Amino acid sequence: MDWHLVLAGGLVGFVVGLTGMGGGALMTPILVLFFKVDPLTAVSSDLVASVAMKPVGAAVHQRRGTVDLRLVRLLCYGSVPAAFCSVLLLRLLTDPASLQSVIRGGLAVALLLAVSTVVVRGIIVRIRVREPKTGTLAVRPVPTVLVGFVGGLVVGVTSVGSGSLIIVALMLLYPSLTMARLVGTDLMQAIPLVGSAALGHLLFGNVEFHLTTTLLLGALPAVYLGARLSSRAPAGLIRSALLIVLMASALKLLGAPDTVVLWVSAGMIAVAIPLLLVRVRRTSGSTAGSG
């Protein structure tokens, strides 16, 4: 039993429970960069572990009625076949010698996309707070299926995107959808999406069940704990820390020197601290005003 892996699984599970994002975007880089697991094994094992974690949050939203099953169905039309076939195509179109470098590069690009989408998500959330929510949702079938298809391709190759890329696309497609229904719908559609990708990796990838089991020993209780504490956590601080970790991981996967990684991380911290202080002051001011 490698207790370092258990702790890594616990850290990632806690962040997922706390923020609803960061599963594949954190776990796979940790396995590749810190535990020196080859990229294909890291992606494969992380996806199989995610199959056990995703239903935890989805079940809560299903009980609360914050899942739009019409959108889940449309997303799955595109994501499920795309996620499964992307694993097969990856093995067929790439020779074994360059397979690991292709996955490593794809993972780095996916992390950079995840950083961008988290920033965009924050901007959209601020705009949406000021917008009234309409009662009727006009479903857009073709764009929704395309979002699922693209998301399935990215998840199948890198294990990143089911909780970050797709939810931002849903925000843009359905601005009248409440945040609770966005998160619930995204979590529910992620179950068949990740399951399809995991099945593809079970058949064509390189899953290490000992690695997956060890990660889950830490991740499953931590997901529950994070979900219980999510309402009290300083979300802005956690989101900022997550962005810095994702950016640093992407740069390392792209082969950037440690000096570059440190300077970029320091710059992001320098930008994040004043923004967090302004947000804390606004929150304190509004609380004092309401009191």
Side-chain angles (χ1 to χ4, degrees), residues 58-137:
V60 174
H61 281 274
Q62 179 65 23
R63 286 197 300 269
R64 293 176 178 172
T66 52
V67 175
D68 193 310
L69 293 177
R70 297 171 301 170
L71 299 183
V72 170
R73 184 174 63 253
L74 290 170
L75 289 167
C76 290
Y77 287 159
S79 66
V80 170
F84 183 84
C85 292
S86 64
V87 185
L88 176 60
L89 291 174
L90 190 65
R91 296 303 297 265
L92 291 177
L93 300 178
T94 310
D95 63 279
S98 60
L99 177 61
Q100 302 297 343
S101 62
V102 169
I103 296 176
R104 191 182 180 100
L107 177 60
V109 172
L111 290 179
L112 292 174
L113 284 173
V115 170
S116 303
T117 56
V118 172
V119 174
V120 171
R121 178 180 176 179
I123 295 171
I124 295 174
V125 167
R126 291 190 183 91
I127 296 173
R128 285 161 58 89
V129 167
R130 308 187 189 100
E131 292 180 351
K133 303 295 186 295
T134 59
T136 305
L137 181 70

